[in-house]
Amino acid sequence: MGNTVLIIVGVILIAGTLGFLLAKLLEKNNASQIVSNAKKEAANIVKEAKSEGESIKKDKILQAKEKFIELKSEHEKVILSRDKKINDAEKRTRDKESQVSSELAKNKKLNKEIETKVKDYDDRLEYLDKRQSDIDKLHASKVQQLEVISGLSADDAKEQLVESLKDQAKSDAMAFIQNAMEEAKLTAEQDAKKIIINTIQRIGTEEAVENCVSVFNLESDDVKGRIIGREGRNIRAIEAATGVEIIVDDTPEAIILSCFDSVRREVARLSLHKLVTDGRIHPARIEEVVQKTTKQIEQEIVEVGKRTVIDLGIHGLHPELIKAVGRMKYRSSYGQNLLQHSREVAKLCATMASELGINPKLAKRAGLLHDIGKVPETESEMPHALLGMEWAEKYGEKPDVCNAIGAHHDEIEMKTLLAPIVQVCDAISGARPGARRQVLDSYIQRLKDLEDIAFGFAGVKKAYAIQAGRELRVIVESEKVNDEKASALSFEISQKIQTDMTYPGQVKITVIRETRAVNIAK
């Protein structure tokens, strides 16, 4: 049994070994066959690649030859074109050379002609100099003969002739000026008066007089103590915050706010009103209320400016100019509220411009802005008219408006008819009775200066400033001043007043010459 198993196992081992060997042999045969087939395919592929490469090589060679031929033809064309350009340039150069040669020949010919003429002119000048010398000698001899005959030297005769011609020319000029002025008055004075009177009658505004003080009314005198505060600290805080002097006196239920700046006075008045209404009055609260009130006033200034330009129908005004117009509400000129004055001037300008056929809107614009130079936020040494013109130019106003602003006090030359209209309307508004407050001392001094100017001329006997300085009557000595000199004296006094004095409106100069013959019958 055991032997049988061993035999069977041995047989199986032998059979397995034989099968493995047989499989290896078969696999080897298959691999060799596959390798041979692969070699055959590789040879075929290489053969096909060679044939295809030859065909591609032939195509590329043909393409390169065609490209070479094409580039060669293009290069030949470029060379031909370049040769043609060179030939043209050479031809132009030859033409220029021939032209230059002809021009040189002409110039040589002209130079010869010029030299000939110069020589001729030199000969003529020499001849003229000689003739002039002879004439001068002849003139000197003639003058000497005339001096001997007349008994006067040439300088004395010339002086007498100049004096006689001067007196005659002065007399003729004064007569011509007088006639021209009379003729102009006949034609222009009536129309001018009509236009001005119609303009004034159509404008009616209130008389406004500003003061440097404001009165703040109180409900009772007990509030005064709260405003003053302990040891006066509240009133000192208000004065320091607003820059306004507060006067607390025996006036019942009122205190006085004093300051030259209307904006500061208004800030102080509104701040006191808020503090008294609220009841809390102490330094910290005072500073807070003053700051808020200042911002409120600034907003109110802008609103006033906007309302003003809307009321007057003015459009497109720069915001900074609108703000300047609003600040006019808190400024005064000779006691006249500046905003009311500017509104009045604007309306007068529009009316007068309409009568003269000029654009009334442009005139109204110039009239409103003519005094904006009086409301600067910083101090300036420039005259207000020039400063206002500078602002108007800066913020895009038209040249006509800028010139009217700068020329309404004659600081610059008037270039358009709009400038004298603004000047006249400004004088009308300022000269209205009650419009401005005049200081008595300056008023008396102005009248005295008018009379002193008249006394500065020879032949003046008496001089009286009347009609509140609108007229100057001059009485002259009839023995020293004749009728022609009286007319000339009136003109000279008017010119002297224009150059030496500043005054609103016009001053009429009347020269009176009177001759009296007195006898006594006994």
Side-chain angles (χ1 to χ4, degrees):
M1 179 87 182
N3 292 327
T4 303
V5 171
L6 291 172
I7 292 169
I8 293 170
V9 171
V11 171
I12 291 169
L13 292 171
I14 293 167
T17 303
L18 291 173
F20 177 76
L21 292 172
L22 183 61
K24 285 291 183 181
L25 289 172
L26 292 173
E27 182 178 357
K28 187 175 180 181
N29 290 331
N30 290 332
S32 60
Q33 188 176 358
I34 290 169
V35 168
S36 64
N37 292 333
K39 288 181 178 180
K40 290 179 179 179
E41 291 179 359
N44 292 330
I45 291 169
V46 169
K47 186 176 180 181
E48 292 177 356
K50 287 181 179 180
S51 62
E52 186 175 357
E54 290 294 330
S55 64
I56 291 171
K57 182 179 178 181
K58 291 178 180 180
D59 292 338
K60 292 296 182 180
I61 290 170
L62 289 174
Q63 290 178 2
K65 288 181 178 180
E66 292 176 353
K67 186 68 175 178
F68 175 75
I69 294 169
E70 183 180 354
L71 293 173
K72 184 178 179 182
S73 68
E74 291 180 356
H75 182 66
E76 290 176 351
K77 289 180 181 179
V78 171
I79 291 173
L80 291 174
S81 175
R82 187 177 299 169
D83 291 340
K84 184 179 180 181
K85 290 181 179 179
I86 291 171
N87 292 330
D88 293 340
E90 290 177 351
K91 184 179 179 181
R92 287 196 299 271
T93 303
R94 288 194 295 271
D95 294 340
K96 290 288 185 182
E97 288 178 351
S98 63
Q99 186 177 359
V100 169
S101 299
S102 63
E103 291 292 336
L104 286 173
K106 290 180 181 179
N107 288 334
K108 288 180 180 178
K109 185 177 180 180
L110 289 174
N111 287 333
K112 290 182 179 178
E113 293 178 355
I114 291 171
E115 289 176 357
T116 304
K117 289 182 179 181
V118 169
K119 185 178 181 181
D120 187 18
Y121 289 152
D122 290 338
D123 295 338
R124 289 185 181 183
L125 286 174
E126 185 178 357
Y127 175 74
L128 290 174
D129 290 340
K130 185 177 180 181
R131 292 288 297 170
Q132 184 66 37
S133 177
D134 295 338
I135 290 170
D136 291 339
K137 291 178 180 178
L138 181 61
H139 176 71
S141 65
K142 294 295 183 183
V143 170
Q144 188 175 5
Q145 291 176 7
L146 288 174
E147 288 179 353
V148 172
I149 294 170
S150 63
L152 292 174
S153 65
D155 293 336
D156 294 338
K158 187 185 295 184
E159 187 176 353
Q160 287 185 5
L161 180 61
V162 168
E163 289 295 331
S164 63
L165 291 175
K166 187 188 294 183
D167 293 338
Q168 184 180 356
K170 189 174 182 180
S171 178
D172 293 342
M174 290 307 304
F176 176 77
I177 291 172
Q178 189 68 27
N179 293 333
M181 290 177 66
E182 292 297 332
E183 185 178 353
K185 286 180 181 179
L186 289 175
T187 57
E189 186 173 357
Q190 187 174 0
D191 292 337
K193 285 182 179 179
K194 182 179 177 181
I195 292 173
I196 292 174
I197 291 172
N198 289 337
T199 303
I200 294 172
Q201 288 176 345
R202 291 172 60 181
I203 304 296
T205 57
E206 298 178 356
E207 298 176 0
V209 178
E210 293 286 339
N211 295 315
C212 289
V213 296
S214 298
V215 178
F216 181 72
N217 295 316
L218 304 172
E219 295 180 357
S220 65
D221 289 337
D222 297 336
V223 183
K224 289 184 179 180
R226 296 169 56 192
I227 292 174
I228 295 172
R230 183 180 299 175
E231 297 179 356
R233 64 176 185 175
N234 289 346
I235 196 170
R236 286 197 299 272
I238 296 172
E239 290 178 345
T242 61
V244 175
E245 183 181 0
I246 299 177
I247 302 171
V248 181
D249 54 14
D250 296 335
T251 306
E253 298 180 356
I255 62 175
I256 298 174
L257 309 178
S258 175
C259 181
F260 71 94
D261 192 334
S262 302
V263 177
R264 294 184 193 174
R265 288 207 316 274
E266 186 66 13
V267 169
R269 189 186 68 80
L270 292 177
S271 299
L272 278 175
H273 178 71
K274 291 179 181 179
L275 291 169
V276 171
T277 303
D278 183 54
R280 294 177 295 168
I281 305 176
H282 53 81
R285 176 67 176 164
I286 288 169
E287 292 180 0
E288 179 184 354
V289 170
V290 169
Q291 290 178 359
K292 291 182 179 179
T293 305
T294 303
K295 292 181 180 179
Q296 178 184 345
I297 290 294
E298 291 177 355
Q299 294 175 357
E300 183 180 349
I301 286 172
V302 176
E303 292 298 324
V304 168
K306 290 181 179 179
R307 286 198 302 270
T308 301
V309 297
I310 290 172
D311 291 344
L312 294 175
I314 296 173
H315 304 286
L317 204 63
H318 194 278
E320 289 297 328
L321 295 181
I322 292 176
K323 187 177 179 181
V325 171
R327 290 182 69 85
M328 289 182 184
K329 179 182 178 182
Y330 301 102
R331 290 290 186 272
S332 62
S333 177
Y334 297 98
Q336 187 179 20
N337 183 269
L338 196 57
L339 181 59
Q340 294 297 330
H341 167 65
S342 298
R343 288 172 65 101
E344 183 178 3
V345 171
K347 293 177 182 178
L348 288 166
C349 288
T351 304
M352 192 172 291
S354 299
E355 294 288 340
L356 295 173
I358 301 173
N359 186 353
K361 292 186 178 180
L362 201 64
K364 188 184 292 185
R365 197 181 192 97
L368 178 65
L369 299 177
H370 80 283
D371 268 347
I372 57 172
K374 289 185 177 180
V375 290
E377 295 183 356
T378 58
E379 293 296 331
S380 176
E381 296 181 357
M382 292 177 63
H384 75 274
L386 297 181
L387 182 60
M389 181 184 70
E390 184 179 297
W391 284 4
E393 291 175 346
K394 179 180 179 182
Y395 297 121
E397 289 299 316
K398 293 183 178 179
D400 292 354
V401 175
C402 297
N403 179 256
I405 294 171
H408 78 277
H409 284 313
D410 294 324
E411 274 87 2
I412 62 173
E413 181 184 358
M414 297 183 181
K415 296 181 180 179
T416 64
L417 192 56
L418 190 62
I421 289 176
V422 172
Q423 187 181 51
V424 170
C425 293
D426 180 40
I428 291 172
S429 175
R432 250 186 332 104
R436 293 186 172 183
R437 182 181 66 248
Q438 295 285 351
V439 180
L440 182 60
D441 292 339
S442 61
Y443 168 76
I444 294 173
Q445 184 63 38
R446 185 167 68 87
L447 299 185
K448 187 175 181 300
D449 291 341
L450 280 173
E451 295 177 353
D452 290 340
I453 287 176
F455 283 118
F457 290 86
V460 176
K461 184 179 180 182
K462 295 180 182 179
Y464 302 105
I466 60 175
Q467 296 292 332
R470 306 291 182 185
E471 182 178 354
L472 179 64
R473 290 189 179 177
V474 181
I475 301 173
V476 297
E477 298 177 7
S478 59
E479 296 84 5
K480 297 181 179 180
V481 180
N482 55 25
D483 291 337
E484 292 180 357
K485 289 186 177 180
S487 178
L489 181 64
S490 175
F491 178 78
E492 291 172 359
I493 292 175
S494 68
Q495 295 300 310
K496 182 72 172 176
I497 292 174
Q498 286 182 13
T499 55
D500 292 353
M501 292 190 63
T502 303
Y503 51 94
Q506 298 177 345
V507 178
K508 179 181 179 183
I509 294 90
T510 304
V511 175
I512 301 172
R513 178 177 180 269
E514 183 181 18
T515 303
R516 293 185 182 183
V518 180
N519 286 294
I520 300 174
K522 296 183 180 178

